[in-house]
Amino acid sequence: MDEVIQVTQWLSSITPRKKAKLFFFTTHADAPSPMVGSNDVDTHEETQLPLATTVALHNFKNIDEFLKKKVNTFSCYNVIENEITKTDYEYLRFYSACKYLDVVPPFLDLEKISAIQNKFEMTDEERDYRLLLDSADLVLEKVCDSLKPAGVSQMWTALRKDRNLIRGVKTIDIIGFFVDPNPTGIKECLFFFIVRFLQKADKINRVNTNRLERLIAQCDESSSCEEGKTIDFIIDSLRFYPTELYPFGFCLIMCVIEGRDGAMQEIEKTMEISRHLGMITHTEKNPTKETIELVKKELMKPKYQFYSSFTCWFMSHGDSNSMVLADGETIEREWFLTSFPDISTFQLKPKVFFMVSCRGANKFSLKGDEFEGQSATCDYYDIGSALIRNRMLDITDSVRDISYVQPMMDTLVAYSTILDHLSGRANTHGSIYVDRACVLMSENISRGRSLTEILEHLSQDLHEILQETMDEDRIVYKQACHYDSFFRKTLKLPYTRHPKEDVHSAPQ
């Protein structure tokens, strides 16, 4: 069959709502970097003009033309070995969006997709199409689905009133002030236009969504929300780090085994909970400084831009400032923690570090006959007011900026013990902190808990446990853990999303 006819038939089989979503997912806001074939040309017209004309004319002609052009480009594209190009990214995004929406063109060359994945050095686990979807766009899709046409229209009216923001923007004028978003697919086009416009204007990104939240907050709840949804519910959904679908993120496990009883148990537990959470996991046993440098270099590869989060477990001996590596050398804890968050592939994404080591030799000792012989270190241990607001500073958009970000932002560091103190171990089970952390995370999957809630529960749980030193003094003591957070959103634990257990139903 002629390719033109095939493309026409494919487009005619897609509903207007899915066309709007396919366009949105395909015109991803964050340009990949570094890449070959990108000349930093402003894509304002390519990403916003088709949406604007569709809303203004109630006609999907320009979006159809855009999708046809994409399909033709991919059809003629020759995959070049070793060089990752802009088209490679676009091809993968397009394929994953089609797969997610259940509109994969029957003529799409899947061998090319496999060849592109080879260039990215993707493992079998990483070839799951869900990895290629941008989780921030999926959250925005859900926000759109929660709003009625009237709600999006009210957002548009509120946006139009911000004259400083819209001044001189031609696509704004194309749509006009009054919009009828009721025809099928028009609500989606208008909402996605608003989102892409705010992104291009550097007003929102995957972390900073305040400007979008303020537009939603101006909507009338009775007329703007779909059944069962509220304005607060919709805004709250934007206040979590976007980690939709599988995988939840990439997990790096580094564990020094030499001289650490129970270390293999630590690895098994952290691997098990990471996979249970839906993470793709990599383990480094007995790391050295060279190992760490190689891992950092690996994480800078382009494929890691597709991940939604980064988690690292580092388990070793240590003191107040440093950690002991497998070869006996030490590294400064601060150096380790500041070097990983600066990796560009995980910018604007949550980064969590579990630092499991002693930070000194001090102990919170417990004295008295009732504590003798009681500890978990032994082998038997098992697993607004408007008035107030009016008196505050009026922070205008002119003094806000989301372009420059401190490297440590969006990072959380969880320590197994406080400064200058021991981190306890069981004789055969390894770190008690690791054990309790994995148990609590496992118990709270599917309960909608955030990571910080679980860490607070872990702090309570761990501090109840009596431990005993393994020297001849046999001192009974307690351990206190804590965390430092630079998070700007809340990181929720996912529902169980192991690939074999996930049942995906396509959006409407």
Side-chain angles (χ1 to χ4, degrees):
M1 186 185 297
D2 183 80
E3 185 173 309
V4 175
I5 297 175
Q6 284 184 313
V7 174
T8 302
Q9 290 180 345
W10 170 67
L11 284 170
S12 65
S13 69
I14 305 175
T15 65
R17 289 184 66 199
K18 285 191 176 183
K19 282 183 182 178
K21 292 181 177 185
L22 181 56
F23 180 89
F24 178 65
F25 292 139
T26 303
T27 55
H28 181 62
D30 299 325
S33 176
M35 61 183 176
V36 177
S38 173
N39 55 6
D40 296 325
V41 175
D42 181 15
T43 57
H44 168 79
E45 288 193 0
E46 184 182 44
T47 58
Q48 296 180 53
L49 186 59
L51 290 171
T53 55
T54 302
V55 173
L57 303 175
H58 291 182
N59 186 312
F60 277 77
K61 178 181 177 181
N62 284 342
I63 288 181
D64 284 349
E65 289 300 320
F66 172 88
L67 295 174
K68 283 181 183 178
K69 183 179 177 181
K70 285 292 180 188
V71 170
N72 291 334
T73 299
F74 299 148
S75 178
C76 300
Y77 180 58
N78 292 317
V79 180
I80 304 170
E81 291 185 8
N82 301 324
E83 289 186 338
I84 294 177
T85 69
K86 181 180 178 181
T87 304
D88 290 330
Y89 280 94
E90 291 177 345
Y91 207 142
L92 292 182
R93 293 287 190 197
F94 179 78
Y95 164 71
S96 63
C98 288
K99 185 81 172 173
Y100 173 70
L101 296 167
D102 196 23
V103 293
V104 178
F107 47 84
L108 195 67
D109 192 340
L110 299 183
E111 289 186 3
K112 286 185 181 179
I113 293 169
S114 180
I116 293 171
Q117 290 171 329
N118 289 340
K119 289 167 64 174
F120 278 90
E121 301 178 28
M122 289 183 172
T123 63
D124 289 343
E125 281 185 295
E126 291 170 331
R127 291 173 188 251
D128 190 310
Y129 78 91
R130 292 169 293 179
L131 172 65
L132 307 174
L133 291 163
D134 184 75
S135 54
D137 282 350
L138 294 175
V139 171
L140 292 167
E141 179 208 16
K142 289 184 177 179
V143 170
C144 181
D145 290 345
S146 299
L147 290 166
K148 290 181 177 179
V152 179
S153 181
Q154 291 166 32
M155 289 176 61
W156 176 248
T157 300
L159 178 66
R160 286 292 306 247
K161 292 178 180 177
D162 190 340
R163 297 190 180 279
N164 290 329
L165 182 60
I166 68 171
R167 184 179 291 116
V169 181
K170 293 180 179 178
T171 46
I172 296 283
D173 294 330
I174 289 173
I175 295 176
F177 198 92
F178 298 103
V179 177
D180 177 13
N182 288 295
T184 306
I186 301 302
K187 177 196 80 170
E188 286 76 15
C189 288
L190 181 59
F191 179 82
F192 296 146
F193 175 87
I194 293 171
V195 167
R196 289 292 186 243
F197 170 75
L198 292 174
Q199 289 170 334
K200 294 296 181 182
D202 270 340
K203 297 300 180 184
I204 65 171
N205 55 33
R206 65 185 298 119
V207 172
N208 302 88
T209 54
N210 287 338
R211 192 66 183 85
L212 182 63
E213 292 171 27
R214 281 152 51 195
L215 289 179
I216 296 171
Q218 295 180 61
C219 295
D220 172 58
E221 187 164 277
S222 62
S223 62
S224 61
C225 301
E226 291 288 353
E227 186 177 352
K229 309 297 183 185
T230 64
I231 294 295
D232 286 344
F233 172 86
I234 295 170
I235 291 176
D236 283 348
S237 69
L238 290 167
R239 292 180 177 170
F240 298 103
Y241 280 107
T243 52
E244 302 294 303
L245 292 183
Y246 170 88
F248 179 62
F250 182 80
C251 181
L252 171 65
I253 299 171
M254 290 186 165
C255 184
V256 176
I257 299 173
E258 302 298 330
R260 297 182 67 250
D261 294 337
M264 290 305 297
Q265 285 279 333
E266 296 170 353
I267 293 174
E268 290 176 13
K269 292 171 188 174
T270 50
M271 285 182 65
E272 182 180 2
I273 190 60
S274 298
R275 289 170 176 167
H276 196 41
L277 290 169
M279 294 182 180
I280 292 177
T281 305
H282 176 76
T283 301
E284 288 287 348
K285 299 176 183 176
N286 288 326
T288 62
K289 193 163 187 178
E290 182 183 4
T291 307
I292 294 171
E293 291 295 342
L294 289 173
V295 168
K296 285 167 57 181
K297 186 176 180 181
E298 167 69 20
L299 292 175
M300 295 180 71
K301 291 181 178 180
K303 71 175 182 178
Y304 292 98
Q305 294 183 62
F306 294 113
Y307 283 93
S308 299
S309 70
F310 173 74
T311 299
C312 175
W313 293 82
F314 195 99
M315 296 166 283
S316 70
H317 290 305
D319 57 29
S320 58
N321 297 313
S322 60
M323 302 177 295
V324 183
L325 301 175
D327 55 6
E329 296 293 318
T330 61
I331 58 167
E332 294 295 311
R333 190 177 287 105
E334 191 67 20
W335 171 84
F336 181 86
L337 290 172
T338 55
S339 59
F340 275 86
D342 204 21
I343 294 174
S344 60
T345 44
F346 291 101
Q347 284 183 356
L348 301 180
K349 298 173 183 178
K351 296 165 281 288
V352 179
F353 294 84
F354 290 94
M355 309 303 292
V356 184
S357 68
C358 289
R359 300 177 71 193
N362 292 341
K363 298 169 287 295
F364 176 57
S365 303
L366 305 179
K367 297 180 180 179
D369 294 341
E370 67 269 29
F371 297 118
E372 290 185 7
Q374 298 184 37
S375 82
T377 314
C378 302
D379 283 344
Y380 63 76
Y381 175 74
D382 293 318
I383 307 260
S385 170
L387 178 62
I388 294 176
R389 178 171 285 277
N390 289 339
R391 298 160 98 181
M392 301 299 177
L393 284 172
D394 181 18
I395 308 297
T396 64
D397 285 349
S398 62
V399 294
R400 292 181 182 272
D401 173 79
I402 67 171
S403 305
Y404 301 96
V405 181
Q406 288 277 4
M408 284 299 290
M409 296 306 292
D410 308 306
T411 299
L412 183 148
V413 183
Y415 297 94
S416 62
T417 189
I418 58 178
L419 186 62
D420 296 326
H421 283 67
L422 287 175
S423 180
R425 310 178 57 72
N427 291 343
T428 59
H429 288 77
S431 166
I432 296 175
Y433 175 88
V434 170
D435 186 277
R436 300 316 300 161
C438 291
V439 167
L440 291 177
M441 282 190 275
S442 176
E443 289 177 350
N444 283 281
I445 286 179
S446 302
R447 294 183 182 178
R449 299 282 197 273
S450 70
L451 176 64
T452 49
E453 284 180 298
I454 291 168
L455 291 176
E456 287 156 7
H457 189 177
L458 172 61
S459 181
Q460 176 190 145
D461 187 44
L462 184 67
H463 200 57
E464 290 178 355
I465 299 172
L466 301 177
Q467 302 186 48
E468 187 177 64
T469 59
M470 298 182 184
D471 55 22
E472 60 184 19
D473 294 330
R474 310 298 289 183
I475 297 172
V476 178
Y477 68 97
K478 280 190 171 185
Q479 180 177 338
C481 59
H482 76 109
Y483 66 89
D484 295 330
S485 176
F486 302 88
F487 274 6
R488 292 182 285 170
K489 285 184 179 290
T490 301
L491 179 61
K492 269 193 175 183
L493 261 67
Y495 291 85
T496 303
R497 287 185 287 193
H498 191 280
K500 293 181 181 178
E501 298 174 355
D502 182 83
V503 179
H504 173 68
S505 57
Q508 300 301 309

